[in-house]
Structures are given as structure tokens and as C-alpha cells.
Short mmCIF file of all heavy atoms in Angstrom, two decimals:
data_model
loop_
_atom_site.label_atom_id
_atom_site.label_comp_id
_atom_site.label_asym_id
_atom_site.label_seq_id
_atom_site.Cartn_x
_atom_site.Cartn_y
_atom_site.Cartn_z
N MET A 1 13.42 -81.54 49.12
CA MET A 1 13.82 -80.57 50.15
C MET A 1 12.82 -80.57 51.30
O MET A 1 11.70 -81.05 51.15
CB MET A 1 13.93 -79.17 49.53
CG MET A 1 12.59 -78.54 49.14
SD MET A 1 12.81 -76.91 48.35
CE MET A 1 11.16 -76.23 48.50
N LYS A 2 13.23 -80.02 52.44
CA LYS A 2 12.33 -79.94 53.58
C LYS A 2 11.40 -78.74 53.43
O LYS A 2 11.80 -77.69 52.95
CB LYS A 2 13.14 -79.77 54.87
CG LYS A 2 13.30 -81.07 55.63
CD LYS A 2 13.17 -80.85 57.11
CE LYS A 2 12.84 -82.10 57.89
NZ LYS A 2 12.91 -83.38 57.23
N CYS A 3 10.17 -78.93 53.85
CA CYS A 3 9.18 -77.85 53.76
C CYS A 3 9.54 -76.75 54.76
O CYS A 3 9.81 -77.03 55.92
CB CYS A 3 7.81 -78.42 54.08
SG CYS A 3 6.53 -77.17 54.09
N ILE A 4 9.53 -75.50 54.28
CA ILE A 4 9.89 -74.40 55.19
C ILE A 4 8.67 -73.86 55.94
O ILE A 4 8.80 -73.04 56.84
CB ILE A 4 10.60 -73.22 54.45
CG1 ILE A 4 9.74 -72.69 53.30
CG2 ILE A 4 11.97 -73.66 53.96
CD1 ILE A 4 10.26 -71.38 52.73
N ILE A 5 7.49 -74.32 55.58
CA ILE A 5 6.27 -73.87 56.28
C ILE A 5 6.04 -74.70 57.54
O ILE A 5 5.96 -74.18 58.64
CB ILE A 5 5.04 -73.94 55.34
CG1 ILE A 5 5.24 -73.09 54.09
CG2 ILE A 5 3.76 -73.52 56.09
CD1 ILE A 5 5.39 -71.59 54.31
N CYS A 6 5.96 -76.01 57.39
CA CYS A 6 5.66 -76.85 58.55
C CYS A 6 6.92 -77.46 59.16
O CYS A 6 6.89 -77.95 60.28
CB CYS A 6 4.66 -77.95 58.18
SG CYS A 6 5.34 -79.18 57.03
N LYS A 7 8.01 -77.42 58.43
CA LYS A 7 9.31 -77.92 58.88
C LYS A 7 9.32 -79.42 59.19
O LYS A 7 10.24 -79.91 59.84
CB LYS A 7 9.79 -77.12 60.11
CG LYS A 7 10.01 -75.65 59.80
CD LYS A 7 10.57 -74.91 61.00
CE LYS A 7 10.93 -73.48 60.68
NZ LYS A 7 9.77 -72.62 60.38
N HIS A 8 8.31 -80.13 58.75
CA HIS A 8 8.27 -81.57 59.00
C HIS A 8 8.25 -82.37 57.70
O HIS A 8 8.90 -83.39 57.58
CB HIS A 8 7.05 -81.94 59.84
CG HIS A 8 7.15 -81.44 61.24
ND1 HIS A 8 8.01 -81.98 62.15
CD2 HIS A 8 6.49 -80.44 61.86
CE1 HIS A 8 7.88 -81.32 63.30
NE2 HIS A 8 6.97 -80.38 63.15
N GLY A 9 7.45 -81.87 56.76
CA GLY A 9 7.24 -82.61 55.53
C GLY A 9 8.43 -82.54 54.58
O GLY A 9 9.30 -81.69 54.70
N GLU A 10 8.42 -83.48 53.63
CA GLU A 10 9.38 -83.46 52.53
C GLU A 10 8.58 -83.10 51.28
O GLU A 10 7.46 -83.56 51.12
CB GLU A 10 10.01 -84.84 52.34
CG GLU A 10 11.09 -85.17 53.36
CD GLU A 10 12.39 -84.39 53.14
OE1 GLU A 10 12.65 -84.01 51.98
OE2 GLU A 10 13.10 -84.17 54.13
N THR A 11 9.18 -82.31 50.39
CA THR A 11 8.46 -81.96 49.17
C THR A 11 8.67 -83.03 48.11
O THR A 11 9.74 -83.63 48.02
CB THR A 11 8.90 -80.59 48.62
OG1 THR A 11 10.31 -80.62 48.40
CG2 THR A 11 8.58 -79.48 49.60
N LYS A 12 7.63 -83.25 47.36
CA LYS A 12 7.67 -84.24 46.27
C LYS A 12 7.27 -83.58 44.97
O LYS A 12 6.48 -82.63 44.96
CB LYS A 12 6.69 -85.38 46.58
CG LYS A 12 7.22 -86.30 47.64
CD LYS A 12 6.28 -87.46 47.85
CE LYS A 12 6.84 -88.37 48.93
NZ LYS A 12 5.82 -89.22 49.52
N GLU A 13 7.78 -84.15 43.87
CA GLU A 13 7.43 -83.65 42.54
C GLU A 13 5.95 -83.87 42.28
O GLU A 13 5.42 -84.93 42.57
CB GLU A 13 8.21 -84.42 41.47
CG GLU A 13 9.71 -84.37 41.63
CD GLU A 13 10.33 -83.15 40.98
OE1 GLU A 13 9.91 -82.81 39.87
OE2 GLU A 13 11.21 -82.55 41.62
N GLY A 14 5.31 -82.82 41.78
CA GLY A 14 3.90 -82.96 41.44
C GLY A 14 3.50 -81.83 40.52
O GLY A 14 4.35 -81.13 39.98
N THR A 15 2.20 -81.65 40.38
CA THR A 15 1.71 -80.53 39.58
C THR A 15 0.63 -79.79 40.36
O THR A 15 0.01 -80.36 41.25
CB THR A 15 1.13 -80.98 38.23
OG1 THR A 15 0.05 -81.87 38.47
CG2 THR A 15 2.17 -81.64 37.35
N THR A 16 0.44 -78.55 40.00
CA THR A 16 -0.57 -77.74 40.68
C THR A 16 -1.25 -76.82 39.67
O THR A 16 -0.85 -76.76 38.51
CB THR A 16 0.06 -76.93 41.83
OG1 THR A 16 -0.96 -76.29 42.58
CG2 THR A 16 1.03 -75.88 41.32
N THR A 17 -2.26 -76.12 40.12
CA THR A 17 -2.96 -75.15 39.29
C THR A 17 -2.61 -73.75 39.79
O THR A 17 -2.65 -73.50 40.98
CB THR A 17 -4.48 -75.37 39.37
OG1 THR A 17 -4.76 -76.69 38.89
CG2 THR A 17 -5.24 -74.36 38.52
N VAL A 18 -2.22 -72.87 38.87
CA VAL A 18 -1.85 -71.51 39.22
C VAL A 18 -2.80 -70.53 38.54
O VAL A 18 -3.03 -70.63 37.34
CB VAL A 18 -0.40 -71.20 38.79
CG1 VAL A 18 -0.05 -69.73 39.07
CG2 VAL A 18 0.58 -72.12 39.52
N THR A 19 -3.36 -69.61 39.32
CA THR A 19 -4.25 -68.59 38.76
C THR A 19 -3.54 -67.24 38.81
O THR A 19 -3.05 -66.83 39.85
CB THR A 19 -5.56 -68.51 39.58
OG1 THR A 19 -6.14 -69.80 39.58
CG2 THR A 19 -6.52 -67.53 38.94
N LEU A 20 -3.48 -66.57 37.68
CA LEU A 20 -2.86 -65.25 37.61
C LEU A 20 -3.92 -64.23 37.19
O LEU A 20 -4.69 -64.49 36.28
CB LEU A 20 -1.73 -65.23 36.58
CG LEU A 20 -0.48 -66.04 36.88
CD1 LEU A 20 0.45 -66.01 35.68
CD2 LEU A 20 0.24 -65.52 38.10
N GLU A 21 -3.93 -63.10 37.87
CA GLU A 21 -4.85 -62.04 37.47
C GLU A 21 -4.05 -60.82 37.07
O GLU A 21 -3.20 -60.34 37.81
CB GLU A 21 -5.78 -61.70 38.63
CG GLU A 21 -6.82 -62.77 38.84
CD GLU A 21 -7.81 -62.43 39.94
OE1 GLU A 21 -8.44 -61.36 39.83
OE2 GLU A 21 -7.92 -63.20 40.88
N LYS A 22 -4.29 -60.39 35.85
CA LYS A 22 -3.56 -59.22 35.33
C LYS A 22 -4.59 -58.28 34.74
O LYS A 22 -5.23 -58.61 33.76
CB LYS A 22 -2.57 -59.64 34.23
CG LYS A 22 -1.46 -60.51 34.74
CD LYS A 22 -0.16 -60.17 34.03
CE LYS A 22 1.01 -60.62 34.87
NZ LYS A 22 2.05 -59.62 34.99
N GLY A 23 -4.74 -57.12 35.35
CA GLY A 23 -5.74 -56.18 34.87
C GLY A 23 -7.10 -56.84 34.88
O GLY A 23 -7.52 -57.38 35.91
N SER A 24 -7.76 -56.89 33.72
CA SER A 24 -9.09 -57.50 33.68
C SER A 24 -9.02 -58.95 33.19
O SER A 24 -10.03 -59.58 32.96
CB SER A 24 -10.00 -56.68 32.76
OG SER A 24 -9.46 -56.65 31.46
N SER A 25 -7.82 -59.47 33.06
CA SER A 25 -7.66 -60.84 32.57
C SER A 25 -7.37 -61.81 33.71
O SER A 25 -6.66 -61.48 34.65
CB SER A 25 -6.50 -60.92 31.57
OG SER A 25 -6.73 -60.05 30.49
N THR A 26 -7.97 -62.98 33.62
CA THR A 26 -7.68 -64.06 34.56
C THR A 26 -7.18 -65.25 33.77
O THR A 26 -7.83 -65.70 32.83
CB THR A 26 -8.95 -64.45 35.35
OG1 THR A 26 -9.43 -63.29 36.03
CG2 THR A 26 -8.64 -65.54 36.37
N ILE A 27 -6.02 -65.73 34.14
CA ILE A 27 -5.43 -66.83 33.42
C ILE A 27 -5.16 -67.97 34.40
O ILE A 27 -4.55 -67.77 35.43
CB ILE A 27 -4.12 -66.41 32.73
CG1 ILE A 27 -4.38 -65.20 31.82
CG2 ILE A 27 -3.53 -67.57 31.93
CD1 ILE A 27 -3.38 -64.11 32.00
N VAL A 28 -5.66 -69.15 34.04
CA VAL A 28 -5.48 -70.31 34.89
C VAL A 28 -4.58 -71.31 34.17
O VAL A 28 -4.88 -71.73 33.05
CB VAL A 28 -6.85 -70.97 35.23
CG1 VAL A 28 -6.65 -72.19 36.13
CG2 VAL A 28 -7.77 -69.95 35.90
N PHE A 29 -3.49 -71.66 34.80
CA PHE A 29 -2.59 -72.67 34.25
C PHE A 29 -2.76 -73.95 35.04
O PHE A 29 -2.65 -73.95 36.27
CB PHE A 29 -1.13 -72.21 34.35
CG PHE A 29 -0.79 -71.06 33.44
CD1 PHE A 29 -0.71 -69.78 33.93
CD2 PHE A 29 -0.56 -71.28 32.09
CE1 PHE A 29 -0.39 -68.71 33.10
CE2 PHE A 29 -0.24 -70.22 31.25
CZ PHE A 29 -0.16 -68.94 31.75
N LYS A 30 -3.02 -75.03 34.32
CA LYS A 30 -3.15 -76.34 34.98
C LYS A 30 -1.88 -77.14 34.75
O LYS A 30 -1.14 -76.90 33.80
CB LYS A 30 -4.35 -77.10 34.40
CG LYS A 30 -5.67 -76.44 34.77
CD LYS A 30 -6.80 -77.26 34.24
CE LYS A 30 -8.10 -76.82 34.90
NZ LYS A 30 -9.17 -77.76 34.63
N GLU A 31 -1.69 -78.11 35.61
CA GLU A 31 -0.55 -79.04 35.49
C GLU A 31 0.79 -78.31 35.48
O GLU A 31 1.68 -78.63 34.69
CB GLU A 31 -0.72 -79.94 34.26
CG GLU A 31 -1.97 -80.78 34.36
CD GLU A 31 -2.24 -81.63 33.14
OE1 GLU A 31 -1.33 -81.81 32.31
OE2 GLU A 31 -3.37 -82.14 33.03
N VAL A 32 0.91 -77.32 36.33
CA VAL A 32 2.18 -76.60 36.48
C VAL A 32 3.10 -77.45 37.38
O VAL A 32 2.70 -77.86 38.46
CB VAL A 32 1.95 -75.22 37.14
CG1 VAL A 32 3.28 -74.49 37.34
CG2 VAL A 32 1.00 -74.38 36.29
N PRO A 33 4.33 -77.71 36.91
CA PRO A 33 5.23 -78.51 37.74
C PRO A 33 5.56 -77.80 39.05
O PRO A 33 5.85 -76.61 39.06
CB PRO A 33 6.48 -78.66 36.86
CG PRO A 33 6.34 -77.69 35.75
CD PRO A 33 4.90 -77.35 35.62
N ALA A 34 5.48 -78.53 40.15
CA ALA A 34 5.72 -77.93 41.46
C ALA A 34 6.27 -78.99 42.41
O ALA A 34 6.23 -80.19 42.13
CB ALA A 34 4.42 -77.36 42.01
N HIS A 35 6.80 -78.53 43.53
CA HIS A 35 7.22 -79.42 44.60
C HIS A 35 6.17 -79.25 45.70
O HIS A 35 5.91 -78.13 46.14
CB HIS A 35 8.60 -79.04 45.12
CG HIS A 35 9.63 -78.98 44.03
ND1 HIS A 35 10.29 -80.10 43.58
CD2 HIS A 35 10.08 -77.94 43.29
CE1 HIS A 35 11.11 -79.73 42.60
NE2 HIS A 35 11.01 -78.44 42.40
N ILE A 36 5.58 -80.34 46.11
CA ILE A 36 4.46 -80.26 47.05
C ILE A 36 4.82 -80.98 48.35
O ILE A 36 5.30 -82.12 48.33
CB ILE A 36 3.19 -80.86 46.41
CG1 ILE A 36 2.84 -80.06 45.14
CG2 ILE A 36 2.02 -80.84 47.40
CD1 ILE A 36 1.96 -80.80 44.17
N CYS A 37 4.59 -80.32 49.47
CA CYS A 37 4.88 -80.88 50.78
C CYS A 37 3.95 -82.05 51.06
O CYS A 37 2.73 -81.93 50.90
CB CYS A 37 4.73 -79.82 51.85
SG CYS A 37 4.91 -80.47 53.51
N ASP A 38 4.51 -83.18 51.49
CA ASP A 38 3.66 -84.35 51.75
C ASP A 38 2.99 -84.26 53.13
O ASP A 38 2.20 -85.11 53.50
CB ASP A 38 4.45 -85.66 51.59
CG ASP A 38 5.60 -85.77 52.57
OD1 ASP A 38 5.77 -84.89 53.43
OD2 ASP A 38 6.36 -86.76 52.47
N ASN A 39 3.31 -83.23 53.88
CA ASN A 39 2.70 -83.06 55.20
C ASN A 39 1.59 -82.01 55.19
O ASN A 39 0.45 -82.29 55.52
CB ASN A 39 3.79 -82.71 56.22
CG ASN A 39 3.22 -82.63 57.63
OD1 ASN A 39 2.52 -83.54 58.07
ND2 ASN A 39 3.50 -81.54 58.31
N CYS A 40 1.93 -80.76 54.79
CA CYS A 40 0.94 -79.68 54.87
C CYS A 40 0.37 -79.29 53.51
O CYS A 40 -0.58 -78.52 53.44
CB CYS A 40 1.54 -78.46 55.56
SG CYS A 40 2.79 -77.61 54.58
N GLY A 41 0.96 -79.78 52.43
CA GLY A 41 0.42 -79.48 51.11
C GLY A 41 0.90 -78.18 50.51
O GLY A 41 0.43 -77.77 49.45
N GLU A 42 1.84 -77.50 51.17
CA GLU A 42 2.40 -76.26 50.63
C GLU A 42 3.06 -76.55 49.28
O GLU A 42 3.71 -77.58 49.10
CB GLU A 42 3.43 -75.69 51.62
CG GLU A 42 4.06 -74.38 51.19
CD GLU A 42 3.09 -73.22 51.15
OE1 GLU A 42 2.04 -73.29 51.79
OE2 GLU A 42 3.41 -72.22 50.47
N LYS A 43 2.88 -75.60 48.33
CA LYS A 43 3.43 -75.82 46.99
C LYS A 43 4.58 -74.87 46.73
O LYS A 43 4.49 -73.68 47.03
CB LYS A 43 2.34 -75.60 45.94
CG LYS A 43 1.20 -76.57 46.09
CD LYS A 43 0.05 -76.18 45.18
CE LYS A 43 -1.17 -77.04 45.46
NZ LYS A 43 -1.91 -76.58 46.66
N TYR A 44 5.63 -75.41 46.15
CA TYR A 44 6.79 -74.60 45.78
C TYR A 44 6.97 -74.68 44.28
O TYR A 44 7.07 -75.77 43.72
CB TYR A 44 8.05 -75.11 46.49
CG TYR A 44 7.94 -75.06 47.99
CD1 TYR A 44 7.42 -76.13 48.70
CD2 TYR A 44 8.34 -73.92 48.67
CE1 TYR A 44 7.30 -76.07 50.08
CE2 TYR A 44 8.23 -73.86 50.05
CZ TYR A 44 7.70 -74.94 50.75
OH TYR A 44 7.58 -74.87 52.10
N ILE A 45 7.03 -73.52 43.64
CA ILE A 45 7.20 -73.49 42.19
C ILE A 45 8.56 -72.88 41.88
O ILE A 45 8.92 -71.83 42.42
CB ILE A 45 6.06 -72.69 41.53
CG1 ILE A 45 4.72 -73.39 41.81
CG2 ILE A 45 6.29 -72.57 40.02
CD1 ILE A 45 3.51 -72.58 41.39
N ASP A 46 9.32 -73.54 41.03
CA ASP A 46 10.65 -73.04 40.66
C ASP A 46 10.55 -71.66 40.02
O ASP A 46 9.60 -71.36 39.31
CB ASP A 46 11.33 -74.00 39.67
CG ASP A 46 11.75 -75.29 40.34
OD1 ASP A 46 11.85 -75.31 41.59
OD2 ASP A 46 11.96 -76.27 39.62
N GLU A 47 11.60 -70.88 40.23
CA GLU A 47 11.63 -69.52 39.68
C GLU A 47 11.52 -69.54 38.16
O GLU A 47 10.86 -68.69 37.56
CB GLU A 47 12.92 -68.83 40.11
CG GLU A 47 12.79 -67.32 40.12
CD GLU A 47 14.09 -66.64 40.52
OE1 GLU A 47 14.71 -67.12 41.49
OE2 GLU A 47 14.47 -65.68 39.86
N SER A 48 12.19 -70.51 37.53
CA SER A 48 12.15 -70.58 36.06
C SER A 48 10.73 -70.85 35.57
O SER A 48 10.31 -70.33 34.53
CB SER A 48 13.10 -71.68 35.56
OG SER A 48 12.73 -72.92 36.11
N VAL A 49 9.99 -71.64 36.33
CA VAL A 49 8.60 -71.94 35.96
C VAL A 49 7.73 -70.69 36.15
O VAL A 49 6.91 -70.36 35.30
CB VAL A 49 8.05 -73.12 36.80
CG1 VAL A 49 6.56 -73.32 36.53
CG2 VAL A 49 8.82 -74.39 36.49
N THR A 50 7.95 -69.97 37.24
CA THR A 50 7.22 -68.74 37.51
C THR A 50 7.44 -67.73 36.39
O THR A 50 6.51 -67.10 35.89
CB THR A 50 7.66 -68.11 38.85
OG1 THR A 50 7.53 -69.10 39.87
CG2 THR A 50 6.81 -66.92 39.21
N LYS A 51 8.71 -67.59 35.98
CA LYS A 51 9.04 -66.66 34.89
C LYS A 51 8.31 -67.03 33.62
O LYS A 51 7.79 -66.18 32.90
CB LYS A 51 10.55 -66.69 34.63
CG LYS A 51 11.31 -65.72 35.51
CD LYS A 51 12.76 -65.64 35.08
CE LYS A 51 13.57 -64.88 36.10
NZ LYS A 51 15.00 -65.21 36.01
N GLU A 52 8.28 -68.33 33.32
CA GLU A 52 7.62 -68.83 32.13
C GLU A 52 6.11 -68.52 32.20
O GLU A 52 5.52 -68.12 31.21
CB GLU A 52 7.88 -70.34 32.03
CG GLU A 52 7.48 -70.97 30.72
CD GLU A 52 8.22 -70.40 29.51
OE1 GLU A 52 9.38 -69.96 29.66
OE2 GLU A 52 7.63 -70.39 28.43
N LEU A 53 5.53 -68.70 33.39
CA LEU A 53 4.10 -68.42 33.57
C LEU A 53 3.80 -66.95 33.29
O LEU A 53 2.83 -66.62 32.60
CB LEU A 53 3.68 -68.74 35.01
CG LEU A 53 3.51 -70.20 35.39
CD1 LEU A 53 3.17 -70.31 36.86
CD2 LEU A 53 2.43 -70.86 34.55
N LEU A 54 4.66 -66.06 33.82
CA LEU A 54 4.44 -64.63 33.63
C LEU A 54 4.59 -64.24 32.17
O LEU A 54 3.86 -63.39 31.65
CB LEU A 54 5.41 -63.84 34.51
CG LEU A 54 5.14 -63.97 36.02
CD1 LEU A 54 6.23 -63.27 36.82
CD2 LEU A 54 3.78 -63.41 36.40
N LYS A 55 5.55 -64.89 31.50
CA LYS A 55 5.77 -64.62 30.08
C LYS A 55 4.55 -65.03 29.26
O LYS A 55 4.06 -64.27 28.42
CB LYS A 55 7.01 -65.41 29.60
CG LYS A 55 7.71 -64.79 28.42
CD LYS A 55 9.07 -65.43 28.20
CE LYS A 55 8.94 -66.67 27.34
NZ LYS A 55 10.22 -67.38 27.18
N LYS A 56 4.04 -66.24 29.54
CA LYS A 56 2.85 -66.73 28.84
C LYS A 56 1.67 -65.82 29.14
O LYS A 56 0.88 -65.50 28.26
CB LYS A 56 2.53 -68.17 29.29
CG LYS A 56 3.47 -69.23 28.75
CD LYS A 56 3.12 -70.57 29.38
CE LYS A 56 4.16 -71.64 29.12
NZ LYS A 56 3.96 -72.30 27.82
N ALA A 57 1.55 -65.40 30.41
CA ALA A 57 0.42 -64.56 30.82
C ALA A 57 0.42 -63.23 30.08
O ALA A 57 -0.62 -62.76 29.62
CB ALA A 57 0.46 -64.32 32.33
N ARG A 58 1.62 -62.65 29.94
CA ARG A 58 1.73 -61.37 29.23
C ARG A 58 1.21 -61.48 27.81
O ARG A 58 0.52 -60.61 27.30
CB ARG A 58 3.18 -60.89 29.23
CG ARG A 58 3.51 -59.96 30.40
CD ARG A 58 4.72 -59.11 30.13
NE ARG A 58 5.92 -59.92 29.89
CZ ARG A 58 6.74 -60.34 30.86
NH1 ARG A 58 6.49 -60.04 32.10
NH2 ARG A 58 7.80 -61.07 30.57
N LYS A 59 1.59 -62.58 27.15
CA LYS A 59 1.17 -62.83 25.76
C LYS A 59 -0.34 -62.93 25.68
O LYS A 59 -0.97 -62.36 24.77
CB LYS A 59 1.78 -64.15 25.28
CG LYS A 59 2.75 -63.99 24.13
CD LYS A 59 3.10 -65.35 23.59
CE LYS A 59 4.59 -65.47 23.35
NZ LYS A 59 4.97 -66.84 22.96
N ILE A 60 -0.93 -63.66 26.63
CA ILE A 60 -2.37 -63.87 26.63
C ILE A 60 -3.10 -62.55 26.86
O ILE A 60 -4.07 -62.23 26.17
CB ILE A 60 -2.76 -64.91 27.71
CG1 ILE A 60 -2.17 -66.28 27.35
CG2 ILE A 60 -4.27 -65.00 27.85
CD1 ILE A 60 -2.15 -67.28 28.48
N VAL A 61 -2.59 -61.75 27.82
CA VAL A 61 -3.20 -60.45 28.13
C VAL A 61 -3.16 -59.55 26.90
O VAL A 61 -4.11 -58.84 26.59
CB VAL A 61 -2.50 -59.79 29.34
CG1 VAL A 61 -2.95 -58.35 29.52
CG2 VAL A 61 -2.78 -60.59 30.60
N LYS A 62 -2.03 -59.60 26.19
CA LYS A 62 -1.85 -58.78 24.99
C LYS A 62 -2.91 -59.09 23.94
O LYS A 62 -3.35 -58.23 23.19
CB LYS A 62 -0.46 -59.04 24.40
CG LYS A 62 0.27 -57.76 24.01
CD LYS A 62 1.51 -58.08 23.23
CE LYS A 62 2.75 -57.72 24.01
NZ LYS A 62 3.97 -58.15 23.29
N ASN A 63 -3.34 -60.37 23.90
CA ASN A 63 -4.36 -60.77 22.94
C ASN A 63 -5.77 -60.37 23.38
O ASN A 63 -6.74 -60.64 22.69
CB ASN A 63 -4.32 -62.29 22.73
CG ASN A 63 -3.07 -62.71 21.98
OD1 ASN A 63 -2.47 -61.92 21.27
ND2 ASN A 63 -2.68 -63.96 22.15
N GLY A 64 -5.87 -59.73 24.56
CA GLY A 64 -7.15 -59.23 25.02
C GLY A 64 -8.10 -60.30 25.56
O GLY A 64 -9.30 -60.09 25.61
N VAL A 65 -7.54 -61.43 25.97
CA VAL A 65 -8.37 -62.52 26.49
C VAL A 65 -8.75 -62.19 27.94
O VAL A 65 -7.92 -61.74 28.71
CB VAL A 65 -7.60 -63.85 26.43
CG1 VAL A 65 -8.40 -64.98 27.05
CG2 VAL A 65 -7.24 -64.18 24.99
N GLU A 66 -10.03 -62.42 28.29
CA GLU A 66 -10.44 -62.12 29.67
C GLU A 66 -10.27 -63.30 30.60
O GLU A 66 -9.83 -63.16 31.74
CB GLU A 66 -11.89 -61.64 29.69
CG GLU A 66 -11.99 -60.20 29.22
CD GLU A 66 -13.35 -59.59 29.46
OE1 GLU A 66 -14.15 -60.18 30.20
OE2 GLU A 66 -13.60 -58.53 28.89
N ILE A 67 -10.66 -64.47 30.11
CA ILE A 67 -10.45 -65.68 30.92
C ILE A 67 -9.83 -66.74 30.04
O ILE A 67 -10.29 -67.01 28.93
CB ILE A 67 -11.79 -66.21 31.51
CG1 ILE A 67 -12.36 -65.18 32.49
CG2 ILE A 67 -11.57 -67.54 32.22
CD1 ILE A 67 -13.70 -65.58 33.06
N ASP A 68 -8.75 -67.30 30.51
CA ASP A 68 -8.06 -68.31 29.74
C ASP A 68 -7.65 -69.44 30.68
O ASP A 68 -7.06 -69.20 31.71
CB ASP A 68 -6.82 -67.67 29.08
CG ASP A 68 -6.23 -68.58 28.01
OD1 ASP A 68 -5.63 -69.60 28.39
OD2 ASP A 68 -6.38 -68.27 26.82
N ILE A 69 -8.01 -70.65 30.31
CA ILE A 69 -7.61 -71.81 31.12
C ILE A 69 -6.83 -72.74 30.20
O ILE A 69 -7.32 -73.12 29.14
CB ILE A 69 -8.84 -72.54 31.71
CG1 ILE A 69 -9.64 -71.58 32.58
CG2 ILE A 69 -8.40 -73.77 32.52
CD1 ILE A 69 -11.00 -72.12 33.01
N ARG A 70 -5.62 -73.03 30.57
CA ARG A 70 -4.80 -73.89 29.72
C ARG A 70 -3.83 -74.72 30.53
O ARG A 70 -3.57 -74.44 31.68
CB ARG A 70 -4.03 -73.04 28.71
CG ARG A 70 -3.04 -72.09 29.38
CD ARG A 70 -2.30 -71.30 28.34
NE ARG A 70 -3.24 -70.49 27.54
CZ ARG A 70 -3.00 -70.11 26.29
NH1 ARG A 70 -1.88 -70.43 25.70
NH2 ARG A 70 -3.87 -69.38 25.65
N LYS A 71 -3.30 -75.74 29.86
CA LYS A 71 -2.27 -76.55 30.51
C LYS A 71 -0.93 -75.85 30.34
O LYS A 71 -0.66 -75.27 29.29
CB LYS A 71 -2.22 -77.95 29.88
CG LYS A 71 -3.41 -78.79 30.29
CD LYS A 71 -3.34 -80.16 29.70
CE LYS A 71 -4.58 -80.96 30.08
NZ LYS A 71 -4.63 -82.24 29.36
N TYR A 72 -0.13 -75.91 31.36
CA TYR A 72 1.15 -75.22 31.37
C TYR A 72 2.01 -75.56 30.16
O TYR A 72 2.64 -74.70 29.58
CB TYR A 72 1.91 -75.57 32.66
CG TYR A 72 3.32 -75.03 32.69
CD1 TYR A 72 3.54 -73.67 32.90
CD2 TYR A 72 4.40 -75.87 32.52
CE1 TYR A 72 4.83 -73.17 32.93
CE2 TYR A 72 5.69 -75.37 32.55
CZ TYR A 72 5.90 -74.03 32.75
OH TYR A 72 7.16 -73.54 32.77
N ASN A 73 2.05 -76.83 29.79
CA ASN A 73 2.97 -77.28 28.75
C ASN A 73 2.57 -76.96 27.32
O ASN A 73 3.35 -77.14 26.40
CB ASN A 73 3.24 -78.78 28.87
CG ASN A 73 4.22 -79.04 29.99
OD1 ASN A 73 5.17 -78.28 30.17
ND2 ASN A 73 3.99 -80.08 30.76
N ILE A 74 1.35 -76.48 27.14
CA ILE A 74 0.91 -76.15 25.78
C ILE A 74 1.34 -74.72 25.45
O ILE A 74 1.11 -73.80 26.23
CB ILE A 74 -0.62 -76.35 25.65
CG1 ILE A 74 -0.91 -77.84 25.74
CG2 ILE A 74 -1.11 -75.76 24.33
CD1 ILE A 74 -2.37 -78.19 25.77
N ALA A 75 1.98 -74.56 24.32
CA ALA A 75 2.53 -73.25 23.94
C ALA A 75 1.44 -72.20 23.81
O ALA A 75 0.35 -72.48 23.31
CB ALA A 75 3.28 -73.38 22.62
N ALA A 76 1.72 -71.00 24.27
CA ALA A 76 0.74 -69.91 24.22
C ALA A 76 0.64 -69.35 22.81
O ALA A 76 1.62 -69.38 22.08
CB ALA A 76 1.14 -68.80 25.18
ZN1 ZN B 1 4.88 -78.62 54.87
#
């Protein structure tokens, strides 16, 4: 798809790192699937992936973890 930020680039399949902060917990997900603009580098993450991230984050927060760094594809 065309990038909506710079309106010039095309997005390509790639991965990115997403940091979520919930209360006193910080959760870092690596290798999150995303569409990345080849011009400005803007990242687009699918809604289904975002939902999955929030679901995983909730589980981690429930366990009382303060800092957690993990790969997206590894089950929480
Ligand atoms: Zn762009």
C-alpha cells in the first residue's frame, strides 16, 4: 500500500519492535510483523497484530512482571 505519511513510499513487509507501557510494567515485543514505508520508514501494524500484542501484554502485566522483552511469535 502507499504510505499515508509521506505519500511517496510503498510499504513493504518487515518486522519492528513495539514497546508497551502498562502501569508499572514495560513490555517490549521484538520481531512484530509490520508494513514499513521504504521512503520515510513509517511503520504500520495490522489491527489483528495490535490486538494480539495487547492480549499478550495483559497476561504479562497480570503476572506482575516489570520489564519483559520477548519475540512476538513466542507464546506468552
Ligand atoms: Zn512514507
Side-chain angles (χ1 to χ4, degrees):
M1 70 182 197
K2 260 220 160 10
C3 177
I4 56 169
I5 301 297
C6 67
K7 298 184 174 67
H8 291 288
E10 283 287 333
T11 57
K12 285 184 181 160
E13 303 274 317
T15 60
T16 187
T17 299
V18 176
T19 304
L20 292 174
E21 286 183 57
K22 294 217 158 226
S24 60
S25 302
T26 302
I27 305 133
V28 180
F29 291 101
K30 292 183 166 192
E31 299 177 15
V32 178
H35 306 276
I36 300 160
C37 174
D38 62 4
N39 184 49
C40 70
E42 181 67 20
K43 298 171 188 79
Y44 300 89
I45 298 171
D46 289 341
E47 205 181 317
S48 59
V49 173
T50 306
K51 272 188 191 158
E52 191 61 30
L53 284 176
L54 292 174
K55 206 168 87 184
K56 286 174 191 276
R58 268 201 300 272
K59 244 189 225 174
I60 294 164
V61 170
K62 226 190 247 175
N63 290 337
V65 176
E66 283 191 13
I67 295 177
D68 193 288
I69 301 170
R70 63 179 61 206
K71 287 181 183 172
Y72 174 74
N73 282 321
I74 292 174

